[in-house]
Short mmCIF file of all heavy atoms in Angstrom, two decimals:
data_model
loop_
_atom_site.label_atom_id
_atom_site.label_comp_id
_atom_site.label_asym_id
_atom_site.label_seq_id
_atom_site.Cartn_x
_atom_site.Cartn_y
_atom_site.Cartn_z
N ASP A 127 13.60 -0.91 18.94
CA ASP A 127 12.70 -1.77 19.71
C ASP A 127 11.29 -1.19 19.65
O ASP A 127 10.84 -0.45 20.55
CB ASP A 127 13.19 -1.86 21.17
CG ASP A 127 12.35 -2.83 22.00
OD1 ASP A 127 11.61 -3.63 21.40
OD2 ASP A 127 12.42 -2.75 23.25
N LEU A 128 10.59 -1.50 18.57
CA LEU A 128 9.25 -0.99 18.34
C LEU A 128 8.30 -2.16 18.09
O LEU A 128 8.67 -3.15 17.46
CB LEU A 128 9.23 -0.05 17.13
CG LEU A 128 10.01 1.27 17.30
CD1 LEU A 128 10.17 1.96 15.95
CD2 LEU A 128 9.29 2.20 18.28
N LYS A 129 7.08 -2.02 18.57
CA LYS A 129 6.10 -3.09 18.44
C LYS A 129 5.56 -3.20 17.01
O LYS A 129 5.43 -2.20 16.31
CB LYS A 129 4.93 -2.86 19.41
CG LYS A 129 5.32 -2.93 20.87
CD LYS A 129 4.10 -2.69 21.75
CE LYS A 129 4.47 -2.74 23.23
NZ LYS A 129 3.29 -2.49 24.09
N ALA A 130 5.22 -4.40 16.62
CA ALA A 130 4.61 -4.62 15.32
C ALA A 130 3.22 -3.98 15.28
O ALA A 130 2.57 -3.80 16.31
CB ALA A 130 4.52 -6.12 15.03
N ASN A 131 2.79 -3.62 14.08
CA ASN A 131 1.44 -3.08 13.84
C ASN A 131 1.17 -1.82 14.66
O ASN A 131 0.03 -1.57 15.07
CB ASN A 131 0.38 -4.14 14.16
CG ASN A 131 0.58 -5.43 13.39
OD1 ASN A 131 0.87 -5.40 12.20
ND2 ASN A 131 0.45 -6.55 14.07
N LEU A 132 2.19 -1.00 14.88
CA LEU A 132 2.08 0.13 15.80
C LEU A 132 1.66 1.43 15.12
O LEU A 132 0.92 2.22 15.69
CB LEU A 132 3.42 0.34 16.51
CG LEU A 132 3.51 1.46 17.54
CD1 LEU A 132 2.53 1.20 18.69
CD2 LEU A 132 4.93 1.59 18.07
N PHE A 133 2.10 1.66 13.87
CA PHE A 133 1.98 2.98 13.28
C PHE A 133 0.90 3.03 12.19
O PHE A 133 0.78 2.12 11.37
CB PHE A 133 3.31 3.42 12.68
CG PHE A 133 4.38 3.62 13.72
CD1 PHE A 133 5.35 2.65 13.94
CD2 PHE A 133 4.41 4.76 14.50
CE1 PHE A 133 6.33 2.82 14.90
CE2 PHE A 133 5.38 4.95 15.47
CZ PHE A 133 6.35 3.97 15.67
N ASP A 134 0.16 4.14 12.19
CA ASP A 134 -0.86 4.36 11.16
C ASP A 134 -0.26 4.92 9.87
O ASP A 134 -0.78 4.67 8.78
CB ASP A 134 -1.91 5.36 11.68
CG ASP A 134 -2.56 4.88 12.96
OD1 ASP A 134 -3.29 3.87 12.89
OD2 ASP A 134 -2.32 5.49 14.01
N ARG A 135 0.83 5.68 10.01
CA ARG A 135 1.53 6.23 8.86
C ARG A 135 3.03 6.10 9.09
O ARG A 135 3.52 6.34 10.19
CB ARG A 135 1.20 7.72 8.64
CG ARG A 135 -0.27 8.01 8.36
CD ARG A 135 -0.66 7.57 6.96
NE ARG A 135 -2.01 7.97 6.63
CZ ARG A 135 -3.10 7.24 6.87
NH1 ARG A 135 -2.97 6.05 7.46
NH2 ARG A 135 -4.30 7.66 6.52
N ILE A 136 3.76 5.75 8.02
CA ILE A 136 5.22 5.70 8.06
C ILE A 136 5.75 6.49 6.87
O ILE A 136 5.35 6.23 5.72
CB ILE A 136 5.74 4.26 8.03
CG1 ILE A 136 5.26 3.48 9.27
CG2 ILE A 136 7.28 4.24 7.96
CD1 ILE A 136 5.68 2.02 9.29
N PHE A 137 6.64 7.44 7.15
CA PHE A 137 7.25 8.26 6.11
C PHE A 137 8.73 7.93 5.99
O PHE A 137 9.42 7.77 7.00
CB PHE A 137 7.13 9.75 6.45
CG PHE A 137 5.73 10.29 6.49
CD1 PHE A 137 4.97 10.20 7.64
CD2 PHE A 137 5.18 10.91 5.38
CE1 PHE A 137 3.68 10.72 7.69
CE2 PHE A 137 3.89 11.42 5.41
CZ PHE A 137 3.14 11.33 6.58
N ALA A 138 9.23 7.85 4.76
CA ALA A 138 10.66 7.79 4.50
C ALA A 138 10.92 8.68 3.29
O ALA A 138 10.70 8.27 2.14
CB ALA A 138 11.14 6.37 4.24
N ILE A 139 11.31 9.92 3.56
CA ILE A 139 11.45 10.93 2.51
C ILE A 139 12.91 11.00 2.08
O ILE A 139 13.77 11.49 2.82
CB ILE A 139 10.97 12.31 3.01
CG1 ILE A 139 9.55 12.20 3.58
CG2 ILE A 139 11.04 13.33 1.89
CD1 ILE A 139 8.54 11.64 2.59
N SER A 140 13.19 10.49 0.88
CA SER A 140 14.55 10.47 0.32
C SER A 140 15.55 9.89 1.31
O SER A 140 16.54 10.52 1.67
CB SER A 140 14.98 11.87 -0.13
OG SER A 140 14.33 12.23 -1.32
N VAL A 141 15.28 8.66 1.72
CA VAL A 141 16.13 7.95 2.68
C VAL A 141 16.74 6.70 2.06
O VAL A 141 17.94 6.44 2.17
CB VAL A 141 15.32 7.56 3.94
CG1 VAL A 141 16.13 6.65 4.85
CG2 VAL A 141 14.86 8.80 4.69
N LEU A 142 15.94 5.92 1.37
CA LEU A 142 16.35 4.57 0.95
C LEU A 142 17.48 4.57 -0.06
O LEU A 142 18.27 3.62 -0.11
CB LEU A 142 15.14 3.82 0.39
CG LEU A 142 14.00 3.59 1.40
CD1 LEU A 142 12.80 2.97 0.71
CD2 LEU A 142 14.47 2.71 2.55
N GLU A 143 17.62 5.63 -0.84
CA GLU A 143 18.69 5.67 -1.84
C GLU A 143 20.06 5.89 -1.20
O GLU A 143 21.08 5.70 -1.86
CB GLU A 143 18.43 6.77 -2.87
CG GLU A 143 18.51 8.18 -2.34
CD GLU A 143 17.20 8.68 -1.77
OE1 GLU A 143 16.25 7.86 -1.60
OE2 GLU A 143 17.11 9.90 -1.49
N HIS A 144 20.10 6.26 0.07
CA HIS A 144 21.37 6.53 0.74
C HIS A 144 22.02 5.28 1.34
O HIS A 144 23.15 5.35 1.85
CB HIS A 144 21.19 7.57 1.84
CG HIS A 144 20.69 8.88 1.34
ND1 HIS A 144 21.37 9.62 0.40
CD2 HIS A 144 19.57 9.59 1.63
CE1 HIS A 144 20.70 10.73 0.13
NE2 HIS A 144 19.60 10.74 0.87
N VAL A 145 21.32 4.15 1.30
CA VAL A 145 21.87 2.89 1.80
C VAL A 145 21.92 1.89 0.66
O VAL A 145 21.34 2.10 -0.41
CB VAL A 145 21.03 2.33 2.97
CG1 VAL A 145 20.99 3.33 4.12
CG2 VAL A 145 19.60 2.00 2.51
N ASP A 146 22.64 0.79 0.85
CA ASP A 146 22.72 -0.20 -0.23
C ASP A 146 21.40 -0.95 -0.36
O ASP A 146 20.52 -0.87 0.50
CB ASP A 146 23.91 -1.13 -0.05
CG ASP A 146 23.84 -1.99 1.20
OD1 ASP A 146 22.72 -2.33 1.65
OD2 ASP A 146 24.91 -2.32 1.75
N GLN A 147 21.27 -1.71 -1.43
CA GLN A 147 20.00 -2.36 -1.76
C GLN A 147 19.54 -3.30 -0.65
O GLN A 147 18.36 -3.31 -0.28
CB GLN A 147 20.13 -3.12 -3.08
CG GLN A 147 18.86 -3.81 -3.55
CD GLN A 147 17.81 -2.84 -4.07
OE1 GLN A 147 18.13 -1.81 -4.64
NE2 GLN A 147 16.54 -3.17 -3.89
N SER A 148 20.44 -4.09 -0.12
CA SER A 148 20.04 -5.07 0.90
C SER A 148 19.53 -4.38 2.16
O SER A 148 18.55 -4.84 2.77
CB SER A 148 21.22 -6.00 1.24
OG SER A 148 22.32 -5.26 1.73
N GLU A 149 20.16 -3.28 2.56
CA GLU A 149 19.68 -2.56 3.74
C GLU A 149 18.36 -1.87 3.46
O GLU A 149 17.47 -1.83 4.33
CB GLU A 149 20.71 -1.55 4.23
CG GLU A 149 20.27 -0.84 5.50
CD GLU A 149 21.34 -0.01 6.17
OE1 GLU A 149 22.48 0.03 5.65
OE2 GLU A 149 21.04 0.60 7.22
N ALA A 150 18.21 -1.33 2.26
CA ALA A 150 16.94 -0.70 1.90
C ALA A 150 15.79 -1.71 1.96
O ALA A 150 14.70 -1.41 2.46
CB ALA A 150 17.03 -0.09 0.50
N GLU A 151 16.05 -2.93 1.48
CA GLU A 151 15.02 -3.97 1.53
C GLU A 151 14.69 -4.33 2.97
O GLU A 151 13.51 -4.52 3.33
CB GLU A 151 15.49 -5.19 0.75
CG GLU A 151 15.56 -4.95 -0.75
CD GLU A 151 16.17 -6.11 -1.53
OE1 GLU A 151 16.45 -7.15 -0.91
OE2 GLU A 151 16.36 -5.96 -2.75
N LEU A 152 15.70 -4.42 3.82
CA LEU A 152 15.47 -4.72 5.23
C LEU A 152 14.67 -3.60 5.90
O LEU A 152 13.79 -3.86 6.73
CB LEU A 152 16.81 -4.93 5.94
CG LEU A 152 16.75 -5.30 7.42
CD1 LEU A 152 15.94 -6.57 7.64
CD2 LEU A 152 18.16 -5.48 7.98
N MET A 153 14.96 -2.37 5.54
CA MET A 153 14.22 -1.25 6.11
C MET A 153 12.75 -1.29 5.71
O MET A 153 11.87 -1.07 6.55
CB MET A 153 14.86 0.07 5.67
CG MET A 153 16.22 0.33 6.29
SD MET A 153 17.02 1.82 5.63
CE MET A 153 15.94 3.10 6.29
N VAL A 154 12.47 -1.59 4.45
CA VAL A 154 11.07 -1.66 4.02
C VAL A 154 10.38 -2.84 4.68
O VAL A 154 9.21 -2.74 5.10
CB VAL A 154 10.98 -1.74 2.48
CG1 VAL A 154 9.54 -2.02 2.04
CG2 VAL A 154 11.47 -0.44 1.86
N ASP A 155 11.07 -3.97 4.83
CA ASP A 155 10.49 -5.11 5.55
C ASP A 155 10.11 -4.70 6.97
O ASP A 155 9.05 -5.08 7.48
CB ASP A 155 11.50 -6.26 5.62
CG ASP A 155 11.75 -6.93 4.28
OD1 ASP A 155 11.01 -6.63 3.32
OD2 ASP A 155 12.70 -7.73 4.18
N THR A 156 10.98 -3.92 7.61
CA THR A 156 10.71 -3.47 8.97
C THR A 156 9.52 -2.51 9.01
O THR A 156 8.67 -2.59 9.90
CB THR A 156 11.96 -2.78 9.56
OG1 THR A 156 13.07 -3.67 9.49
CG2 THR A 156 11.72 -2.38 11.00
N MET A 157 9.45 -1.61 8.03
CA MET A 157 8.30 -0.72 7.96
C MET A 157 7.00 -1.51 7.85
O MET A 157 6.00 -1.19 8.51
CB MET A 157 8.43 0.21 6.75
CG MET A 157 9.54 1.22 6.83
SD MET A 157 9.58 2.25 5.32
CE MET A 157 11.31 2.67 5.26
N CYS A 158 7.02 -2.54 7.03
CA CYS A 158 5.82 -3.36 6.85
C CYS A 158 5.41 -4.03 8.16
O CYS A 158 4.22 -4.13 8.48
CB CYS A 158 6.06 -4.41 5.77
SG CYS A 158 6.33 -3.71 4.13
N ARG A 159 6.38 -4.48 8.92
CA ARG A 159 6.08 -5.11 10.21
C ARG A 159 5.51 -4.11 11.20
O ARG A 159 4.59 -4.43 11.97
CB ARG A 159 7.36 -5.74 10.78
CG ARG A 159 7.17 -6.40 12.14
CD ARG A 159 8.45 -7.03 12.64
NE ARG A 159 9.51 -6.06 12.86
CZ ARG A 159 9.62 -5.33 13.97
NH1 ARG A 159 8.72 -5.43 14.94
NH2 ARG A 159 10.64 -4.48 14.10
N LEU A 160 6.01 -2.88 11.18
CA LEU A 160 5.58 -1.87 12.14
C LEU A 160 4.26 -1.21 11.76
O LEU A 160 3.59 -0.62 12.61
CB LEU A 160 6.65 -0.79 12.26
CG LEU A 160 8.02 -1.24 12.78
CD1 LEU A 160 9.01 -0.07 12.75
CD2 LEU A 160 7.92 -1.80 14.20
N LEU A 161 3.87 -1.32 10.50
CA LEU A 161 2.66 -0.64 10.02
C LEU A 161 1.40 -1.35 10.50
O LEU A 161 1.29 -2.58 10.41
CB LEU A 161 2.68 -0.60 8.49
CG LEU A 161 1.58 0.21 7.81
CD1 LEU A 161 1.74 1.70 8.12
CD2 LEU A 161 1.60 -0.03 6.30
N ALA A 162 0.45 -0.59 11.01
CA ALA A 162 -0.82 -1.16 11.46
C ALA A 162 -1.66 -1.56 10.26
O ALA A 162 -1.55 -0.97 9.17
CB ALA A 162 -1.56 -0.13 12.30
N PRO A 163 -2.52 -2.59 10.40
CA PRO A 163 -3.43 -2.94 9.31
C PRO A 163 -4.24 -1.73 8.86
O PRO A 163 -4.77 -0.98 9.67
CB PRO A 163 -4.33 -4.02 9.95
CG PRO A 163 -3.46 -4.64 11.00
CD PRO A 163 -2.64 -3.50 11.55
#
């Protein structure tokens, strides 16, 4: 439960390869929503 456009920097260090493709895409979509302009 995090607000959109909240973070100035988002790190994911060797994370996305540990989940399947569809979940990785959902995670990146979420990062994009949470990232500040």
Side-chain angles (χ1 to χ4, degrees):
D127 184 16
L128 294 167
K129 295 180 180 179
N131 304 317
L132 181 62
F133 294 101
D134 302 293
R135 298 287 186 271
I136 298 177
F137 295 86
I139 307 303
S140 285
V141 172
L142 297 174
E143 68 272 10
H144 299 301
V145 300
D146 63 30
Q147 182 73 33
S148 60
E149 183 170 359
E151 291 174 5
L152 182 57
M153 290 175 68
V154 172
D155 291 350
T156 304
M157 293 180 208
C158 295
R159 178 179 63 83
L160 297 176
L161 187 67

